[in-house]
Amino acid sequence: MRKVFRTVSGLTAALAVTAGVGVATAFAATTTTSVDFQTHGFPTVAAQAAIPAGQGATIKAGDATVTIPTGTFSDPVKFELLEGPLSSFAANAPSGQTPVFDFAFKVVDQKTGAIVMKFQKPVMFSLTNTDVNTNSMYYNIAPTGTYTLNPVKATISSDTLQHAIAGAPVGWVVTSPATSVAQTTSPVTGLPFADWLIVGAALILGGGVLLAVRRKVS
């Protein structure tokens, strides 16, 4: 479950307001050179920062952190971290994968009003989540909602995934295997494996006591 509390830090950074629940998700029919992902699959502004020209900031939204180094933008920009309903991405997720976190960027040049699609320096995305593991995957999401495995493998250490991002022509989704190892150790009935061991031991012990009583009586 995502955390509701969102924080933003950095020069003149501001705390974002979380968008309303239940917003319908729409995807663009075709890819364009300039995409507003807030209207193409990622309607929620999870966090935002006003970044002066040449300066940097750190934006946090729940388990995710985006670090924007100094010199990333030559003009002042409004940098928004967007999210979409995980259910929208679950329907198109690759077989065996479950979405853990989805996001996109909307960066607007405050001088020209244009959406910035390419950054002068890569920003660093980091996600720390108990569902992240060595089998987690990092996918690009086109404005059409299509999954494509990012050609650059994400760095994963324990439950933290990191990936450098040099522009915003696509959105992204972090996924993990749909069935965890812990779930596979439980019997089909749903009774935990440890409980089965206890029940089995009790039955064996009970059988031994019953046999001893029968021998004594005979």
Side-chain angles (χ1 to χ4, degrees), residues 133-213:
N133 54 61
T134 55
N135 295 316
S136 295
M137 309 294 284
Y138 183 84
Y139 288 93
N140 294 346
I141 299 295
T144 57
T146 305
Y147 276 73
T148 303
L149 189 63
N150 192 286
V152 179
K153 189 175 178 63
T155 300
I156 301 175
S157 176
S158 186
D159 61 353
T160 297
L161 178 147
Q162 291 185 309
H163 201 283
I165 301 173
V170 296
W172 302 273
V173 173
V174 175
T175 69
S176 287
T179 304
S180 67
V181 174
Q183 290 174 329
T184 61
T185 61
S186 299
V188 177
T189 59
L191 186 64
F193 185 67
D195 291 347
W196 277 93
L197 290 178
I198 294 172
V199 171
L203 290 174
I204 293 173
L205 179 60
V209 171
L210 179 60
L211 181 60
V213 170

Side-chain angles (χ1 to χ4, degrees), residues 27-217:
F27 292 101
T30 58
T31 302
T32 59
T33 55
S34 181
V35 182
D36 181 355
F37 279 98
Q38 193 170 8
T39 59
H40 293 151
F42 302 84
T44 302
V45 179
Q48 65 181 4
I51 306 176
Q55 297 189 25
T58 298
I59 300 176
K60 296 183 179 181
D63 297 331
T65 301
V66 179
T67 303
I68 304 156
T70 58
T72 301
F73 305 107
S74 55
D75 286 345
V77 300
K78 181 181 180 181
F79 194 110
E80 294 180 329
L81 174 62
L82 308 176
E83 290 183 39
L86 282 177
S87 57
S88 297
F89 299 98
N92 296 325
S95 178
Q97 294 291 314
T98 297
V100 174
F101 190 87
D102 65 78
F103 70 104
F105 297 148
K106 180 179 179 180
V107 184
V108 178
D109 188 310
Q110 297 297 278
K111 281 188 177 180
T112 65
I115 294 179
V116 180
M117 304 296 288
K118 186 177 181 180
F119 308 154
Q120 295 177 12
K121 290 183 179 181
V123 304
M124 179 60 69
F125 169 77
S126 177
L127 177 69
T128 300
N129 187 290
T130 54
D131 289 329
V132 171
N133 54 61
T134 55
N135 295 316
S136 295
M137 309 294 284
Y138 183 84
Y139 288 93
N140 294 346
I141 299 295
T144 57
T146 305
Y147 276 73
T148 303
L149 189 63
N150 192 286
V152 179
K153 189 175 178 63
T155 300
I156 301 175
S157 176
S158 186
D159 61 353
T160 297
L161 178 147
Q162 291 185 309
H163 201 283
I165 301 173
V170 296
W172 302 273
V173 173
V174 175
T175 69
S176 287
T179 304
S180 67
V181 174
Q183 290 174 329
T184 61
T185 61
S186 299
V188 177
T189 59
L191 186 64
F193 185 67
D195 291 347
W196 277 93
L197 290 178
I198 294 172
V199 171
L203 290 174
I204 293 173
L205 179 60
V209 171
L210 179 60
L211 181 60
V213 170
R214 286 182 176 177
R215 287 178 177 176
K216 184 175 182 180
V217 171

